[in-house]
Amino acid sequence: MAILEVNNLKKIYTTRFGGNKVQALSDVTFDVEEGEYVAIMGESGSGKTTLLNILAALDRPTSGTVYLEGKNLVAVPESKMAEFRRRHLGFVFQEFNLLDTFSLQDNIFLPLVLAGKPFHEMQKRLVPIAKSLGISDILQKYPYEVSGGQKQRAAVARAIITNPKLILADEPTGALDSRASDELLRLFEAIHKSGQTILMVTHSIKAASTASRVLFIKDGEVYHQMYRGDLTSEEMYQKISDTLTMLTTGGERS
Amino acid sequence: MSNVFYFKLAFSGIVKNRKLYIPFSLTSIGMVMMYYIVMYLSHEETIGQMRGGEDVQGMLSLGTGVISVFAVIFLFYTHSFLIRRRKKEFGLYNVLGMDKGNLMRTTLYETVMLLLVSVIGGLACGILFSKIVELLVAWLLGADQTLTFAVDWTGVGNAALLFSGIFLLLLLNTMRQVQMAKPVELLRSENQGEKPPKANWVFAVLGIVILVCAYVLAVSVEDPLEALTVFFVAVLMVIVATYLLFISGSVACCRLLQKRKKFYYKTNHFVAVSSMAYRMKRNGAGLASICILSIMVLVCVSTTTCLFAGEEDILANRYPRDIAVRTESADEQYVNAVSAMISQTGQENGVSGDNRIHYRYLSVSGYYNGANFILDPDKVQTFDYSDVYVINFIPIEDYNEQMGTQISLEQDEVMLYDPSGEFTGEQITLEGMEPLVIRERTDEFLRKGEDAVNILNSLYVFVTDMQVVERIDVVQRQIYGENASDVCAYDAFDVPGSAEKQNEVGESLMDAVSAAAEADPAFPDVAIEVAEWERESFYGTFGGLFLLGILLAVVFVCAVALIMYYKQVCEGYEDQSRFAIMKKVGMTEREIKRSINSQVLMVFFLPLLLACVHLGFAFPLIRKILLAFAMSNVGLLIGVTVLCALLFAVFYVIMYVLTSRAYYRIVNGQSAD
């Protein structure tokens, strides 16, 4: 069963004084099955971020529908949005978005505290997650005291501690060096293997090559998609790379 | 590049960031104004000459100190927001090819411009404000103006000097930061993390200890003469304790709360407590200053208002009858002569002396050691003013005549009237005399007006006859020598009708007395007090003090409103990104609103709350000090104090509502897009 159904999504931005209209998404349709690991690729300005914002319920489409587990996201009223996001979605951002006034542990606890969970339950959930992400020793540290990779792992912990239906990742490796990136991608694969559905927006071929399916977006449409099948990461990398070359040089749709 | 270019760059920098620079300028203008006015009042001569004016000025001098400290702390704090936002711009200029020297020249121009605007604006507002008050005083008190406001050049000079100094420090600080930073760091500095605050337990505990000591000291003071000195010691201790508590105690408190997992990990407390820890670290000193200034204003306003409102009370206390005459002799010839004069002048002016009081008395001061009254001060080692009594010896016949009673006393028996009710002895024994046994006590007698303002306890002892009084007179003359007091006669009466009538009677009585004194060189001294003559000077004094209190309150409330608003706005810009993150993670609008409310509430009301607690503990002291002004109406004092605190709280709530709204708008504005 599809956990996420996106149908004919369209988004038009109007500049502040009415004048120009910019079409960010023209017609996007795709499904994500439960347990899938999907990467969305595209160049700057292709509409990736707009799409992610709509999926994250941070923005509303001009037309079209988004169903998360059969529930229409577009119909969720503004006042329930934040709660909806907290219950069903987990986020990993390029800039980590950790709060500098909290220790890593408190940052990870934030969504649970907002949900009103008791402390011992939070603690119970944190221990295995922290262990698998390798951040057990630095939980009491503050964001400014740890490296970018460690910050991003804490952000991942914050995303998965609520057991969300779907994890949305926006360029998660964008601010990391190559070693930290590799490590993070390994973690994503491990989380995926444990049954978690992940949707990642990226323009790193390396990051996309770890996914089970890659969607390519161009000019506000899904231009092409590719399943990993039995390919190794290296083969996948090559295939994505070829597709991108074709995309940018303006080749025909395959 | 020419100077004009840097000037333009600095100017456009300020204009472009006017959202931050305008409130900053207003804040520093408010500070300069507050400083100027308080500085000016603290050495204004006419205030110094007022009754109690010196104490008020002592308080104000302390106030200028607090304001200076406050100005340094607060301008540094608010300026740090400016630097943070400007750094990014400087980083860009740096990347585009301006070197650090050029940047520093720009900041120099910027700082000088801000300084000029602040000092000129602040002084102009201060002088204008004091002129308005001058007109107000003239209008309220008629031609008899007690406060005259002129431009005070010392105040102007001091204000200009102090704020130039502060801005120089600000400039140096900016330069240091620009100098140290690399261009990329400058570009990014707005997003830099900050170390979590550490709790300083030693200071926190020290603050509590000092505060408790100050409270105990303030509450345990018994006697009004001691009160003034203790008051200043207690005030200093409270100031120190308040700073310690706000700076260290608050962070320590947040840390304690964070350790209590069950409390901390609740939706309502989680965000508030952790950001409070950061807030307090940077804000503690500012909030402490606000707390101290609040209590100063509350004390000033409530005491001066109380004196003003209780004026008639005080007059009635001080002058129980419209006219009082003291004849410093017991010689019947003179006493009767004065009595005759009183009756005569009354008749001449067509008034019969109503509510006439007449009695003879001898006042003796003595130190009560639990058994005897010691008259010789050299024999007293430990001195406690609450054990010093002024004893008025009055023959019982004068009491009977006055009160219409028929009491007779045996030899060595006395009747006692003790207005304060503090004296618990069974007998009155003067040093070197037979004990006088207290046969009964009365709770009714018309005491002399001057005793109402005397901070020493007074006793009225009614003795068998005039001979006893004379025997006591002989003893006290031996001991006191030249300083001995005379047996006196006290005459007092009301003059019904207009104030003018009172004046007339008073004046003709004066004339009669001086005529008699000229005719007979042995005629004793006669002191005449007319309540109406004193009323004017009372109103002048207390009216002046009252206006002073109001003036201070207005200046302070304006300044604080501005300061708090600006602080909140600055913090709002800083918190934008933080709340944006929380929104992304799933914090609802309502939760954000609630969290903001509880934070702003705490920051706002902690100083007010502590100020009220301080005021509560200062209350006994204030009451004792007001006694020296013959203000003994405790009910009025409580009422006025509570009313002042409530009014202040209302102002505060209005400020709070406006501020938290602005804050919410800013925080929410960014996170929506």
Side-chain angles (χ1 to χ4, degrees):
Chain A
M1 181 204 141
I3 195 166
L4 182 75
E5 291 173 48
V6 178
N7 298 313
N8 308 99
L9 219 52
K10 188 172 180 178
K11 177 76 186 178
I12 298 170
Y13 286 108
T14 318
T15 47
R16 193 177 300 188
F17 299 108
N20 296 331
K21 287 188 174 162
V22 180
Q23 183 152 2
L25 297 177
S26 48
D27 184 16
V28 175
T29 304
F30 67 93
D31 292 347
V32 177
E33 298 294 323
E34 183 154 11
E36 251 193 311
Y37 178 10
V38 179
I40 297 179
M41 292 199 77
E43 291 196 25
S44 304
S46 61
K48 282 179 304 181
T49 309
T50 308
L51 177 62
L52 197 77
N53 279 345
I54 291 172
L55 297 182
L58 288 168
D59 203 351
R60 283 168 186 273
T62 312
S63 69
T65 53
V66 179
Y67 285 95
L68 184 68
E69 276 207 315
K71 198 168 177 183
N72 190 356
L73 242 152
V74 181
V76 176
E78 189 77 48
S79 56
K80 293 265 161 64
M81 256 337 180
E83 201 190 330
F84 179 84
R85 219 175 291 146
R86 187 170 75 210
R87 272 168 186 250
H88 303 288
L89 302 171
F91 295 93
V92 180
F93 306 92
Q94 177 176 1
E95 289 294 340
F96 322 130
N97 276 348
L98 295 175
L99 293 164
D100 50 8
T101 53
F102 285 124
S103 64
L104 292 186
Q105 172 174 311
D106 289 354
N107 263 299
I108 296 167
F109 281 162
L110 183 62
L112 292 181
V113 172
L114 291 176
K117 293 273 185 292
F119 178 68
H120 60 88
E121 196 192 323
M122 297 194 274
Q123 195 71 35
K124 213 166 70 194
R125 286 201 199 179
L126 177 64
V127 172
I129 292 173
K131 202 174 159 206
S132 65
L133 292 175
I135 50 172
S136 302
D137 299 336
I138 52 167
L139 283 176
Q140 298 309 326
K141 293 226 155 95
Y142 281 76
Y144 79 98
E145 294 173 303
V146 300
S147 72
Q150 288 169 322
K151 276 192 227 180
Q152 195 59 299
R153 274 182 276 159
V156 172
R158 182 179 64 187
I160 61 177
I161 200 163
T162 53
N163 300 325
K165 300 275 180 317
L166 178 65
I167 285 186
L168 296 172
D170 184 6
E171 298 279 8
T173 57
L176 301 179
D177 59 41
S178 66
R179 252 181 63 194
S181 293
D182 289 350
E183 213 168 319
L184 187 78
L185 290 172
R186 262 204 304 282
L187 285 173
F188 266 55
E189 275 180 289
I191 296 167
H192 168 230
K193 283 211 178 93
S194 70
Q196 177 71 55
T197 319
I198 301 174
L199 186 82
M200 171 170 69
V201 166
T202 182
H203 55 228
S204 150
I205 302 172
K206 182 96 188 245
S209 66
T210 57
S212 57
R213 177 156 62 116
V214 184
L215 293 172
F216 296 90
I217 289 193
K218 193 184 177 189
D219 299 330
E221 284 178 59
V222 178
Y223 181 85
H224 179 64
Q225 68 170 324
M226 163 193 300
Y227 283 90
R228 180 186 185 123
D230 295 327
L231 298 178
T232 61
S233 287
E234 286 72 28
E235 289 165 332
M236 188 72 176
Y237 187 99
Q238 194 53 49
K239 214 173 156 193
I240 294 169
S241 177
D242 293 343
T243 310
L244 280 177
T245 315
M246 194 176 71
L247 261 168
T248 38
T249 50
E252 287 299 307
R253 200 180 289 216
S254 62
Chain B
M1 281 185 271
S2 70
N3 274 330
V4 180
F5 171 77
Y6 293 112
F7 182 77
K8 271 189 183 160
L9 197 63
F11 188 74
S12 73
I14 291 177
V15 172
K16 259 186 267 157
N17 290 292
R18 60 182 173 280
K19 255 200 307 195
L20 281 173
Y21 275 93
I22 289 176
F24 178 79
S25 314
L26 287 178
T27 310
S28 50
I29 285 175
M31 297 264 201
V32 175
M33 175 174 124
M34 186 156 79
Y35 180 82
Y36 170 77
I37 289 178
V38 175
M39 179 84 205
Y40 169 51
L41 292 177
S42 73
H43 65 264
E44 228 288 323
E45 274 176 24
T46 41
I47 295 174
Q49 283 155 10
M50 281 182 200
R51 223 172 120 97
E54 275 178 28
D55 298 329
V56 173
Q57 289 197 328
M59 187 99 163
L60 289 179
S61 306
L62 211 62
T64 46
V66 174
I67 291 174
S68 318
V69 173
F70 181 61
V72 174
I73 293 166
F74 209 84
L75 287 179
F76 253 86
Y77 177 58
T78 47
H79 195 254
S80 70
F81 288 103
L82 290 185
I83 299 179
R84 244 180 231 225
R85 286 186 80 88
R86 291 312 301 284
K87 263 192 189 169
K88 199 172 172 181
E89 207 178 312
F90 287 154
L92 189 63
Y93 289 147
N94 204 189
V95 170
L96 291 178
M98 273 172 85
D99 67 24
K100 294 216 167 125
N102 299 343
L103 287 179
M104 284 187 190
R105 255 162 91 178
T106 314
T107 46
L108 174 69
Y109 282 119
E110 228 179 82
T111 314
V112 170
M113 269 188 266
L114 281 180
L115 174 68
L116 286 180
V117 168
S118 312
V119 169
I120 294 173
L123 288 177
C125 288
I127 291 166
L128 188 75
F129 198 80
S130 54
K131 279 284 164 198
I132 292 171
V133 174
E134 181 187 341
L135 293 177
L136 203 70
V137 175
W139 176 67
L140 263 183
L141 302 178
D144 187 22
Q145 207 172 295
T146 34
L147 283 172
T148 47
F149 283 81
V151 177
D152 171 40
W153 293 110
T154 331
V156 170
N158 278 347
L161 214 65
L162 174 70
F163 284 88
S164 304
I166 295 176
F167 274 77
L168 181 68
L169 288 177
L170 290 180
L171 178 66
L172 289 177
N173 187 34
T174 318
M175 286 187 164
R176 186 184 59 91
Q177 295 203 22
V178 171
Q179 182 67 50
M180 304 269 279
K182 298 183 187 78
V184 181
E185 278 174 20
L186 282 176
L187 276 171
R188 277 199 179 179
S189 55
E190 220 178 334
N191 308 322
Q192 242 166 34
E194 199 185 341
K195 277 183 197 169
K198 292 247 155 28
N200 191 330
W201 294 98
V202 178
F203 283 138
V205 171
L206 198 66
I208 293 173
V209 169
I210 294 178
L211 191 65
V212 168
C213 288
Y215 281 171
V216 169
L217 193 64
V219 172
S220 62
V221 165
E222 292 251 315
D223 117 67
L225 278 181
E226 224 178 286
L228 269 177
T229 30
V230 170
F231 187 72
F232 277 98
V233 175
V235 163
L236 283 178
M237 284 168 76
V238 164
I239 289 178
V240 171
T242 308
Y243 275 104
L244 286 178
L245 277 183
F246 269 103
I247 295 169
S248 309
S250 54
V251 176
C253 183
C254 286
R255 284 275 167 264
L256 269 186
L257 288 179
Q258 281 181 328
K259 283 207 180 112
R260 288 186 46 202
K261 307 282 184 214
K262 276 210 173 124
F263 175 88
Y264 178 50
Y265 290 106
K266 283 273 179 319
T267 319
N268 291 344
H269 308 146
F270 192 56
V271 177
V273 171
S274 65
S275 32
M276 276 301 285
Y278 279 84
R279 277 288 119 77
M280 293 313 279
K281 176 191 151 207
R282 291 187 288 161
N283 266 347
L287 290 178
S289 310
I290 286 178
C291 172
I292 288 162
L293 292 174
S294 307
I295 175 126
M296 280 179 170
V297 164
L298 279 177
V299 168
C300 278
V301 174
S302 58
T303 48
T304 52
T305 311
C306 189
L307 286 175
F308 190 68
E311 215 154 353
E312 286 303 322
D313 256 25
I314 296 173
L315 272 174
N317 233 337
R318 177 65 184 84
Y319 305 103
R321 294 289 182 269
D322 292 341
I323 295 179
V325 181
R326 192 178 72 235
T327 313
E328 297 195 347
S329 165
D331 196 325
E332 266 183 44
Q333 177 199 343
Y334 296 125
V335 172
N336 290 341
V338 172
S339 284
M341 279 177 216
I342 291 169
S343 308
Q344 204 191 333
T345 47
Q347 270 162 22
E348 277 167 13
N349 288 285
V351 290
S352 53
D354 279 6
N355 301 325
R356 181 79 183 266
I357 303 174
H358 169 84
Y359 57 80
R360 291 161 292 171
Y361 70 94
L362 171 66
S363 281
V364 179
S365 318
Y367 178 81
Y368 186 62
N369 65 1
N372 299 324
F373 284 96
I374 299 166
L375 303 191
D376 190 349
D378 295 337
K379 287 189 189 162
V380 180
Q381 267 95 36
T382 54
F383 215 61
D384 184 352
Y385 279 104
S386 58
D387 288 329
V388 178
Y389 286 85
V390 175
I391 316 167
N392 298 292
F393 293 98
I394 298 164
I396 191 75
E397 53 189 294
D398 287 14
Y399 178 86
N400 285 335
E401 196 189 338
Q402 209 58 67
M403 312 300 289
T405 48
Q406 295 287 327
I407 300 168
S408 60
L409 296 166
E410 299 291 313
Q411 191 69 26
D412 294 336
E413 268 185 1
V414 294
M415 184 166 78
L416 180 72
Y417 169 53
D418 175 15
S420 68
E422 302 260 312
F423 186 74
T424 49
E426 295 286 314
Q427 52 193 32
I428 307 279
T429 317
L430 290 190
E431 181 191 8
M433 285 192 72
E434 291 300 299
L436 300 167
V437 181
I438 299 169
R439 200 185 73 176
E440 57 182 308
R441 285 168 176 256
T442 174
D443 46 15
E444 230 186 331
F445 189 67
L446 299 155
R447 60 172 166 160
K448 305 193 302 294
E450 60 203 56
D451 283 345
V453 283
N454 202 331
I455 33 189
L456 298 175
N457 292 320
S458 52
L459 292 177
Y460 289 78
V461 178
F462 305 101
V463 296
T464 330
D465 49 28
M466 205 56 200
Q467 283 167 2
V468 183
V469 176
E470 276 155 16
R471 277 216 314 274
I472 296 167
D473 191 31
V474 172
V475 173
Q476 66 108 5
R477 266 176 205 289
Q478 276 173 2
I479 295 172
Y480 281 122
E482 273 182 16
N483 298 325
S485 37
D486 294 308
V487 181
C488 297
Y490 182 73
D491 281 282
F493 56 98
D494 280 337
V495 179
S498 64
E500 279 149 45
K501 201 97 217 158
Q502 238 186 75
N503 286 335
E504 281 168 28
V505 175
E507 269 160 34
S508 47
L509 198 56
M510 287 279 257
D511 292 342
V513 168
S514 41
E518 259 174 54
D520 178 2
F523 200 80
D525 288 340
V526 176
I528 300 172
E529 284 176 338
V530 179
E532 198 53 41
W533 296 350
E534 308 296 325
R535 178 169 271 124
E536 263 174 40
S537 85
F538 260 63
Y539 270 93
T541 309
F542 292 148
L545 283 178
F546 176 59
L547 276 172
L548 190 63
I550 299 296
L551 165 70
L552 278 176
V554 170
V555 169
F556 176 74
V557 167
C558 292
V560 163
L562 213 61
I563 289 165
M564 287 290 227
Y565 186 80
Y566 177 55
K567 191 178 84 65
Q568 235 29 59
V569 166
C570 289
E571 285 173 0
Y573 284 118
E574 218 189 31
D575 288 349
Q576 256 177 6
S577 57
R578 217 166 276 157
F579 276 103
I581 294 174
M582 288 189 222
K583 229 176 163 183
K584 279 183 193 162
V585 176
M587 202 167 178
T588 62
E589 294 263 320
R590 247 189 49 221
E591 283 162 345
I592 290 180
K593 227 172 200 164
R594 220 188 284 154
S595 153
I596 287 174
N597 269 340
S598 68
Q599 275 180 62
V600 178
L601 205 71
M602 259 196 264
V603 170
F604 256 81
F605 285 95
L606 267 183
L608 185 66
L609 202 73
L610 195 62
C612 286
V613 174
H614 285 347
L615 190 64
F617 278 96
F619 188 79
L621 262 178
I622 294 169
R623 195 177 66 86
K624 291 267 157 53
I625 291 170
L626 283 187
L627 268 183
F629 291 89
M631 172 72 227
S632 55
N633 190 339
V634 181
L636 181 71
L637 180 59
I638 292 176
V640 166
T641 310
V642 170
L643 193 72
C644 285
L646 280 181
L647 264 180
F648 194 66
V650 168
F651 267 114
Y652 225 80
V653 169
I654 294 172
M655 269 154 54
Y656 159 71
V657 170
L658 290 177
T659 308
S660 65
R661 239 185 243 162
Y663 181 75
Y664 182 73
R665 242 193 346 257
I666 294 166
V667 165
N668 218 27
Q670 186 79 10
S671 51
D673 56 35

